[in-house]
Amino acid sequence: MLIRVGYEISFRAGAELPMLLLLNLHPSRQLSVFSGGKLGVEPALPIDEYLDGFGNLVSRIVASPGDFKLAFDATVFDVGTPDEQSPGAAQNAIADLPADALQFLLSSRYCDVDSALNTFAWEQFGAITSGWERVQAVCDFVHRHLRFDYGQACPTRTAGQAFLEQVGVCRDFTHLAITLCRSLNIPARYATGYLGDIGIAPLPSPMDFSAWFEVFLNDRWYTFDARFNTPRIGRVLMARGRDAADVALSTAFGPHLLTEFKVWADEVHGNVSNRLAA
C-alpha cells in the first residue's frame, strides 16, 4: 500500500531563531519513499542535517524574525499489515543483551525507573511469564489505567506522575509502559511518527503525530502501543530515543510562537499516478 504523510507547521520568531528539527522520516524509512520526502522552509532557508546518537536525521536551521513555515509531504510504501505479533518471544538475560540495548534499561528524563514504579512493576507483573506475555500485560494495564485526554497534555509529566494522575496523551501511555518494562529488565525505547486511521474507523480527534514503543525480545525489537493496545497498520517512523526528550519535534533557542499545526497520514486510494500528479 501507499501512505501519504506530511505536515505544515508555522511559527512566528521574535528574533533570529536557531532550531533543531526531528521532522524527517527515519533513515530506515528512506528506501520506502515513493515520492517527496524533503523538509522545506518558507521563506527558504539553508538546512543542515546530521545523524544524532540514536540514528535519527536532524535538521538544523536559523530562522529570521517573523513568520515562517515548515512543510513536508511524502508518499511511502508500506507492507499494509498490522504490527508483527510474536507471543512466544522470550526475554533476554541482561548478560546476553547487546551493548546498544543496555541504555534502554535505565532511567531517563520522563521514564523514572528508579522510583516506586520499580517495586510496583514486580508486584504487579513479576508472576507473569517473562517475555511477550509480560509486555502485553504491561500494555493491558497502562491502557486501562490511563484516560486519554488531549486537554490534559503536559510537557513535563513523567511516567510516575502519569501513573498517579491516571490521565495523559500518547506520550504518557508510552512513557509509563516503557518505565514498567525497564523496571522488569526488558529494554524499551520510545518511537514517534505517523499513524493514520488506516484499517480502523476514523477517530474524531484531529490528526497528530503519534508515540509508541519498542521492546527487545528474542534478540530483536518489537512494536507495542499502550494507547491503542491493538496491532495497527501503517506506522511511519520518524525518530527513536530513550523518551520524548530525545525526539522533540522542534527545539528552539529563542522566543517564538506556534501559529499553525497540521498533520496528515492517509492511505492513497485509486490510481496512484493520477493522485500524485494532482
Side-chain angles (χ1 to χ4, degrees), residues 254-277:
H256 65 288
L257 178 68
L258 177 67
T259 59
E260 179 188 25
F261 186 86
K262 180 182 178 182
V263 180
W264 55 88
D266 303 305
E267 182 180 357
V268 177
H269 296 285
N271 188 304
V272 173
S273 60
N274 288 345
R275 172 67 179 269
L276 295 179

Side-chain angles (χ1 to χ4, degrees), residues 6-12 17-24 38-47 59-64 67-73 194 209 238 248-252 256-264:
Y7 55 80
E8 292 180 353
I9 305 174
S10 298
F11 296 93
R12 180 167 298 147
L17 185 66
M19 297 185 79
L20 302 178
L21 307 170
L22 268 169
L23 287 167
N24 300 288
K38 288 292 185 181
L39 169 65
V41 186
E42 303 174 13
L45 291 170
I47 302 175
S59 298
R60 184 177 180 181
I61 66 171
V62 179
S64 300
D67 294 329
F68 67 98
K69 176 185 289 187
L70 309 174
F72 183 91
D73 192 40
Y194 301 91
F209 296 110
M238 294 169 65
L249 299 175
S250 65
T251 302
H256 65 288
L257 178 68
L258 177 67
T259 59
E260 179 188 25
F261 186 86
K262 180 182 178 182
V263 180
W264 55 88

Side-chain angles (χ1 to χ4, degrees), residues 71-83:
F72 183 91
D73 192 40
T75 301
V76 299
F77 288 104
D78 191 83
V79 293
T81 57
D83 302 322

Side-chain angles (χ1 to χ4, degrees), residues 1-58:
M1 71 171 9
L2 291 176
I3 304 173
R4 187 175 182 180
V5 298
Y7 55 80
E8 292 180 353
I9 305 174
S10 298
F11 296 93
R12 180 167 298 147
E16 187 174 82
L17 185 66
M19 297 185 79
L20 302 178
L21 307 170
L22 268 169
L23 287 167
N24 300 288
L25 297 184
H26 192 268
S28 64
R29 264 292 190 174
Q30 291 304 314
L31 290 178
S32 72
V33 175
F34 182 81
S35 67
K38 288 292 185 181
L39 169 65
V41 186
E42 303 174 13
L45 291 170
I47 302 175
D48 294 324
E49 294 181 339
Y50 67 92
L51 294 178
D52 68 11
F54 299 100
N56 304 312
L57 181 60
V58 186

Side-chain angles (χ1 to χ4, degrees), residues 197-278:
D197 300 340
I198 300 173
I200 64 168
L203 298 176
S205 53
M207 179 64 192
D208 198 350
F209 296 110
S210 189
W212 58 89
F213 70 107
E214 299 170 346
V215 299
F216 193 84
L217 300 171
N218 260 10
D219 297 320
R220 55 159 294 187
W221 293 96
Y222 290 93
T223 295
F224 284 84
D225 188 330
R227 178 195 169 186
F228 293 107
N229 201 28
T230 188
R232 291 286 300 272
I233 297 170
R235 297 184 195 273
V236 181
L237 181 67
M238 294 169 65
R240 296 187 180 105
R242 292 166 298 183
D243 59 28
D246 292 328
V247 298
L249 299 175
S250 65
T251 302
F253 300 90
H256 65 288
L257 178 68
L258 177 67
T259 59
E260 179 188 25
F261 186 86
K262 180 182 178 182
V263 180
W264 55 88
D266 303 305
E267 182 180 357
V268 177
H269 296 285
N271 188 304
V272 173
S273 60
N274 288 345
R275 172 67 179 269
L276 295 179

Side-chain angles (χ1 to χ4, degrees), residues 104-121:
F104 299 109
L105 289 172
L106 308 177
S107 285
S108 53
R109 177 176 176 182
Y110 296 111
C111 297
D112 39 348
V113 177
D114 50 350
S115 68
L117 285 177
N118 190 292
T119 300
F120 173 82

Side-chain angles (χ1 to χ4, degrees), residues 84-89 130-137 217 222-224:
E84 182 179 353
Q85 301 291 286
S86 185
S130 64
W132 189 278
E133 185 176 345
R134 186 174 282 174
V135 176
Q136 186 56 58
L217 300 171
Y222 290 93
T223 295
F224 284 84

